[in-house]
């Protein structure tokens, strides 16, 4: 039997990581395995691993465990399931607050320092420094066993040093004397044996636990969008089998099954309407609040809600192939990726900790050499250890990416990866495919031109009646237009389809012929001068004209055409405001292309472009020095989307176009491209803001601590605040509003 040599990819849930340095360690360890390429995301606590054939997932898990962390294949979690580690962290925080606050209060307020207060502080601080701070100590010990240091090492050493010094001062110095008071100072000067730092040890632990708790809670909220996507789908379905309707679990549904969707129910999976008409609310997938009308033959998407009538639907995609599953997969892949800025931050975090230890040691020695006193030297060195933790640096990019891509998914905007964010900043030109992008891509009846003395409604009624038996898009456009205007149509008899030329049939005892003039000529009929002029004018405008005749006379001409989307002009104007120059790309002739371009406000037109020439047009623009974004929806757009600097696929398009793109718009509205670019740019701006403040914080705070201007406890609070700031700054992306239906958000 042949053995596959194809590489395989795994996602692993990583447990026990407490900082970006931990993620860097796990990633480095996995990448040591021959042929393995791993990316570990601290914010999502997940590793994405590309491994050559033959590398078992158990080998990967074992490697992670040997590094001191846990690893497991992702499993499906219940909506109400709460991580036990999160609950334990909350308990440690509650205990730390209850015990540390009195210790801090007594240390900072001299009137509260009753006789023996220092011993009471020792009793209260000991559980905080040992049990509550245990995650830091455990991680530090594990790191030491692997001959490495992380931010946990900094915290553990800092807290332990403060506590150990206090014990020494209490038992062997003068700090344990009955009636001793100890005013709170930013910096201490003296021999240190009369000073205790229990409030530092307990306070730092409390603040860091608070920071991690808020960080964990915010990460859970940030990932809510993706979890909500997974919970959108129906749980069971009313399927029709053997002529009977029965309700079965969704997992038992197969492609080709016919199922019933009643008003108010969710559509179980992607399919095509066999029977019935209704309005479907797709707002949870597309962000569009206006329900979409669906009829027989229309495609419907799983997880959308049937608002109106009863539908019979044939399942066309199930399980992981559905649009909902693909959206969730794209979002998850995007959140697992890393921007270049994040890779630099990770490398910086990995070398940061040893440098901090060196700075702390230099600080201690310098203070002692300049005669600042043991207490001052010790305080400054511990403050350096505590304040230098680059937690915020490690969170800066993944948190913004997590929130930004999650918000995009809620709005029907799928960002494929962090590298896309940089592309949205650079592009200055946007190339728009005409059909299906600027226009609806669906033929619509525009005009009925009756011959002199004929009734317009009668011309439309009889033409539509004979066309109703045809499956051609032009015929269906006429039928839809007639049905909307006139209601039910009469039946047709003796229908015949003349390939490429038109149709014939008998309607209400009248022999009707509809199609091209050449078909009418076969019946000995010629268009009059006015109808012939209208016919030619339509053809020259890239519209399609259908001539109709019955009872030996030509009765009129009907015009159908692809229509410009109502929102396209607004979208083009908004793209210009973003600094993009729009270009219309189409295979239509110059005149028709100019007409569409003028209608939506585009000046630059590339007309008469064959599908295989689209790539060459993109390359030509790039050779002019332009950074090009391309919007398309068809198979023939896939290569051009891949060639462009930023490919944007309309979600109503083909799989090939969606796979080749960087951004996917789930809803068929060009304004989605505007929202996608705005959201991507804002996410990039948030990442840069986070990185700036995280770096500025460390750069500014370490010298202050080394100069003795920061109490270690205040340093701990500031360090925790920096992480919380980065998280809260990222969460602001949840308030991003798109241009479409803002009320729906």
């Amino acid at each position: 039997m042949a053995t596959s040599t194809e590489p395989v990819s795994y996602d692993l849930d990583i447990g026990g990581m407490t900082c970006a340095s931990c993620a860097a360690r796990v990633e480095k360890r996995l990448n040591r395995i021959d042929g393995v390429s791993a990316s570990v995301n601290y914010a999502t606590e997940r590793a994405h691993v590309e491994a050559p054939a033959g590398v078992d997932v158990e080998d990967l898990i074992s490697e992670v465990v040997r590094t001191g962390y846990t690893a497991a294949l992702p499993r499906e979690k219940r909506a109400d399931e709460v991580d036990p580690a999160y609950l334990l962290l909350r308990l440690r925080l509650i205990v730390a607050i209850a015990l540390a606050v009195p210790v801090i209060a007594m240390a900072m307020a001299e009137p509260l320092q009753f006789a023996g207060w220092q011993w009471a502080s020792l009793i209260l601080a000991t559980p905080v420094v040992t049990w509550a701070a245990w995650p830091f100590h455990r991680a530090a010990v594990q790191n030491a066993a692997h001959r490495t240091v992380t931010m946990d090492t900094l915290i553990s050493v800092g807290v332990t040093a403060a506590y150990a010094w206090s014990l020494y001062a209490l038992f062997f110095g003068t700090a344990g004397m009955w009636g001793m008071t100890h005013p709170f100072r930013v910096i201490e000067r003296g021999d240190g044996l009369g000073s205790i730092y229990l409030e530092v040890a307990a306070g730092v632990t409390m603040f860091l636990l608070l920071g991690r708790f808020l960080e964990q809670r915010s990460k859970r909220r940030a990932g809510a969008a993706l979890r909500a996507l997974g919970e959108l789908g129906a749980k069971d379905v009313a399927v029709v089998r053997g002529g009977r309707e029965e309700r079965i679990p969704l997992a038992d549904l197969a492609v080709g099954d016919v199922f019933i969707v009643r008003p108010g129910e969710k559509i179980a999976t992607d399919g095509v309407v066999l029977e019935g008409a209704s309005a479907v609310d797709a707002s949870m997938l597309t962000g569009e609040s206006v329900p979409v009308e669906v009829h027989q033959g229309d495609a419907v998407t799983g997880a959308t809600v049937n608002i109106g009538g009863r539908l019979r639907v044939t399942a066309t995609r199930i399980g992981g192939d559905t649009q909902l599953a693909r959206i969730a997969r794209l979002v998850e892949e995007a959140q697992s990726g890393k921007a270049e800025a994040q890779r630099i931050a990770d490398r910086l975090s990995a070398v940061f900790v040893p440098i901090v230890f060196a700075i702390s040691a230099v600080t201690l020695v310098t203070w002692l050499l300049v005669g600042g006193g043991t207490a001052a030297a010790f305080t400054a060195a511990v403050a350096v250890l505590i304040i230098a933790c680059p937690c915020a640096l490690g969170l800066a990019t993944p948190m913004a990416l997590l929130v930004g891509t999650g918000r995009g998914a809620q709005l029907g905007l799928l960002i494929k990866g962090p590298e896309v964010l940089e592309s949205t900043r650079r592009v200055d030109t946007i190339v728009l495919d005409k059909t299906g992008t600027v226009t609806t891509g669906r033929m619509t009846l525009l005009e009925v031109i009756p011959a002199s003395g004929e009734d317009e409604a009668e011309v439309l009624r009889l033409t539509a009646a004979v066309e109703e038996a045809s499956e051609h898009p032009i015929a269906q456009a006429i039928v839809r237009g007639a049905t909307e205007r006139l209601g039910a149509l009469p039946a047709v008899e003796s229908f015949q389809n003349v390939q490429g030329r038109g149709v014939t049939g008998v309607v209400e005892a009248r022999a009707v012929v509809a199609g091209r003039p050449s078909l009418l000529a076969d019946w000995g009929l010629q268009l009059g001068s006015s109808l012939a002029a209208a016919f030619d004018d339509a053809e020259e405008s890239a519209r399609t004209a259908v001539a109709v005749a019955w009872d030996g006379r030509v009765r009129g001409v009907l015009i159908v055409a692809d229509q410009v989307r109502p929102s396209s002009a607004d979208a083009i104007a908004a793209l210009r405001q973003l600094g993009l120059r729009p270009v219309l790309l189409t295979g239509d002739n110059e005149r028709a292309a100019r007409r569409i371009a003028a209608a939506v406000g585009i000046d630059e037109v590339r007309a008469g472009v064959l599908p295989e020439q689209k790539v060459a047009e993109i390359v030509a623009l790039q050779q002019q020095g332009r950074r090009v974004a391309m919007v398309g929806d068809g198979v023939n757009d896939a290569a051009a989307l891949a060639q462009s600097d930023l490919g944007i696929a309309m979600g109503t398009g083909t799989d090939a176009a969606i796979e080749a793109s960087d951004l996917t718009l789930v809803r068929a509205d060009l304004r989605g491209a505007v929202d996608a670019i705005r959201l991507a740019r804002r996410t990039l701006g948030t990442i840069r803001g986070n990185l700036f403040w995280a770096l500025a914080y460390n750069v500014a705070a370490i010298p202050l601590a080394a100069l003795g201007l920061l109490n270690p406890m205040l340093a701990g609070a500031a360090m925790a605040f920096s992480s919380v700031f980065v998280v809260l700054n990222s969460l602001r992306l949840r308030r991003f509003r798109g241009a479409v239906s803002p009320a729906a958000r």
Side-chain angles (χ1 to χ4, degrees):
M1 187 175 69
T3 303
S4 173
T5 57
E6 292 291 321
V8 289
S9 61
Y10 301 101
D11 287 321
L12 298 175
D13 284 338
I14 308 295
M17 293 195 298
T18 55
C19 61
S21 296
C22 299
R25 282 187 56 209
V26 175
E27 184 174 298
K28 187 176 178 182
R29 190 69 178 245
L30 286 170
N31 282 324
R32 281 182 185 168
I33 303 174
D34 283 346
V36 168
S37 174
S39 173
V40 180
N41 190 314
Y42 170 53
T44 58
E45 297 179 353
R46 180 162 289 191
H48 180 74
V49 185
E50 300 283 344
V55 174
D56 192 81
V57 67
E58 291 300 328
D59 297 335
L60 302 173
I61 292 174
S62 300
E63 198 66 29
V64 175
V65 171
R66 277 197 289 273
T67 315
Y69 304 91
T70 63
L73 288 169
R75 64 178 180 83
E76 201 143 323
K77 294 181 179 177
R78 299 192 313 273
D80 57 349
E81 187 174 336
V82 181
D83 185 0
Y86 175 78
L87 296 177
L88 182 58
L89 175 62
R90 188 174 64 180
L91 179 61
R92 289 185 195 276
L93 173 63
I94 292 171
V95 171
I97 292 174
L99 299 180
V101 167
V103 175
I104 296 169
M106 285 189 285
M108 297 184 73
E110 200 169 345
L112 297 178
Q113 294 174 0
F114 55 87
W117 68 275
Q118 67 272 44
W119 296 103
S121 293
L122 178 64
I123 294 171
L124 292 172
T126 297
V128 178
V129 174
T130 53
W131 181 76
W134 177 242
F136 305 117
H137 301 318
R138 181 182 56 200
V141 170
Q142 288 176 341
N143 294 332
H146 292 88
R147 298 180 182 178
T148 185
V149 289
T150 67
M151 285 176 282
D152 291 301
T153 311
L154 291 178
I155 297 166
S156 179
V157 170
V159 168
T160 303
Y163 184 74
W165 182 276
S166 301
L167 287 179
Y168 180 76
L170 284 170
F171 286 102
F172 302 104
T174 57
M177 293 176 63
W178 201 256
M180 186 274 286
T181 58
H182 187 280
F184 179 80
R185 299 187 182 95
V186 172
I187 201 72
E188 289 281 352
R189 296 180 188 277
D191 62 5
L193 293 179
S195 303
I196 58 174
Y197 297 96
L198 293 171
E199 82 281 7
V200 171
V204 165
T205 302
M206 180 187 73
F207 283 122
L208 293 175
L209 284 174
L210 177 63
R212 288 208 173 161
F213 175 75
L214 294 176
E215 184 183 311
Q216 288 292 325
R217 196 173 67 166
S218 299
K219 282 160 69 175
R220 286 165 53 83
R221 289 168 58 192
L226 189 57
R227 286 197 298 276
L229 271 180
E231 293 162 10
L232 275 180
K235 306 303 178 195
D236 53 19
V237 55
V239 68
V240 180
R241 287 178 178 169
R244 297 181 57 186
E245 185 180 321
E246 57 179 301
R247 190 159 284 276
I248 62 171
L250 185 61
D252 295 340
L253 190 70
V255 172
D257 277 347
V258 176
F259 60 94
I260 305 297
V261 190
R262 293 183 173 78
E265 287 186 342
K266 287 181 179 177
I267 296 175
T269 192
D270 296 357
V272 174
V273 177
L274 274 183
E275 187 181 306
S278 179
V280 172
D281 178 3
S283 58
M284 285 301 288
L285 280 181
T286 66
E288 175 59 77
S289 62
V290 179
V292 180
E293 296 290 334
V294 296
H295 306 87
Q296 182 182 354
D298 287 340
V300 290
T301 307
T304 54
V305 180
N306 176 25
I307 294 178
R310 182 177 184 270
L311 296 174
R312 281 171 63 91
V313 180
T314 302
T316 55
R317 291 178 177 178
I318 59 170
D321 295 330
T322 63
Q323 187 172 0
L324 178 65
R326 291 166 61 204
I327 289 173
R329 199 158 51 239
L330 284 173
V331 173
E332 197 166 351
E333 287 172 4
Q335 292 178 344
S336 298
K338 286 189 179 183
E340 184 55 31
Q342 179 60 33
R343 294 188 185 281
I344 295 172
D346 285 352
R347 285 197 290 272
L348 190 58
S349 295
V351 300
F352 197 69
V353 176
I355 294 174
V356 170
F357 270 113
I359 295 174
S360 179
V362 169
T363 301
L364 180 69
V365 172
T366 303
W367 273 90
L368 291 174
L369 289 178
V370 300
T374 308
F378 175 78
T379 307
V382 170
V384 168
L385 289 178
I386 298 299
I387 203 158
C389 297
C391 296
L393 199 62
L395 283 171
T397 296
M399 277 306 299
L401 198 62
L402 192 68
V403 181
T405 52
R407 180 61 181 147
Q410 289 177 326
L411 298 177
L413 315 170
L414 306 182
I415 302 171
K416 277 202 174 169
E419 62 282 355
V420 173
L421 305 179
E422 284 288 341
S423 301
T424 61
R425 185 181 63 85
R426 296 195 195 102
V427 293
D428 54 20
T429 300
I430 186 162
V431 176
L432 304 156
D433 178 55
K434 182 180 76 69
T435 305
T437 303
V438 177
T439 66
T440 62
R442 186 181 189 189
M443 302 297 271
T444 305
L445 176 66
L446 297 182
E447 193 176 1
V448 179
I449 305 172
S452 178
E454 298 293 338
D455 179 62
E456 179 180 326
E458 188 67 1
V459 171
L460 176 59
R461 192 174 74 89
L462 294 185
T463 309
V466 74
E467 295 279 19
E468 191 172 21
S470 171
E471 297 290 333
H472 196 281
I474 295 173
Q476 292 301 311
I478 293 173
V479 172
R480 279 196 304 273
T483 305
E484 289 169 5
R485 299 179 193 183
L486 306 173
L489 300 172
V492 60
E493 299 173 3
S494 306
F495 172 81
Q496 284 194 331
N497 180 35
V498 184
Q499 192 66 37
R501 299 172 68 197
V503 294
T504 64
V506 177
V507 181
E508 296 177 343
R510 284 175 282 191
V512 182
V513 55
R516 302 197 62 79
S518 62
L519 179 63
L520 274 64
D522 291 347
W523 290 52
L525 301 170
Q526 299 293 329
L527 274 65
S529 58
S530 61
L531 290 181
F535 196 99
D536 293 341
D537 186 56
E539 296 269 287
E540 289 181 11
S541 302
R543 298 175 177 179
T544 301
V546 175
V548 62
W550 65 82
D551 294 345
R553 284 186 57 193
V554 179
R555 308 290 179 158
V557 169
L558 292 83
I559 311 295
V560 298
D562 189 7
Q563 273 197 314
V564 173
R565 294 184 190 277
S567 60
S568 290
D570 290 341
I572 300 298
L575 288 169
R576 286 186 186 280
Q577 289 178 352
L578 292 174
L580 300 174
R581 193 160 73 179
V583 178
L584 186 68
L585 189 69
T586 176
D588 286 349
N589 62 60
E590 183 83 15
R591 182 178 169 182
R594 290 284 175 193
R595 185 178 61 81
I596 296 290
V600 298
I602 297 177
D603 302 323
E604 191 171 347
V605 174
R606 303 290 174 107
V609 180
L610 298 174
E612 58 271 22
Q613 295 173 333
K614 289 184 176 179
V615 173
E617 291 291 338
I618 299 294
V619 171
L621 289 168
Q622 290 171 328
Q623 287 175 343
Q624 294 172 13
R626 298 201 208 176
R627 295 282 188 170
V628 182
M630 162 85 187
V631 188
D633 71 330
V635 173
N636 56 12
D637 297 325
L641 288 170
Q643 172 64 39
S644 62
D645 299 291
L646 178 68
I648 304 174
M650 300 284 272
T652 53
T654 64
D655 292 349
I658 293 170
E659 288 299 321
S661 66
D662 303 307
L663 290 168
T664 299
L665 315 180
V666 176
R667 62 179 186 266
D669 189 326
L670 193 54
R671 287 177 297 179
V674 181
D675 291 341
I677 292 172
R678 284 179 54 230
L679 176 61
R681 286 182 175 179
R682 188 170 297 182
T683 304
L684 181 64
T686 302
I687 288 173
R688 291 182 167 183
N690 286 348
L691 288 172
F692 172 80
W693 287 112
L695 280 171
Y697 159 82
N698 277 311
V699 169
I702 290 177
L704 290 177
L707 291 172
L709 300 177
L710 273 179
N711 183 285
M713 186 179 68
L714 301 180
M719 200 280 283
F721 174 76
S722 70
S723 294
V724 173
F725 170 80
V726 164
V727 171
L728 294 179
N729 191 43
S730 301
L731 286 176
R732 291 191 308 125
L733 288 168
R734 297 177 64 179
R735 297 202 296 269
F736 175 86
R737 291 183 179 276
V740 182
S741 305
R745 285 129 209 196

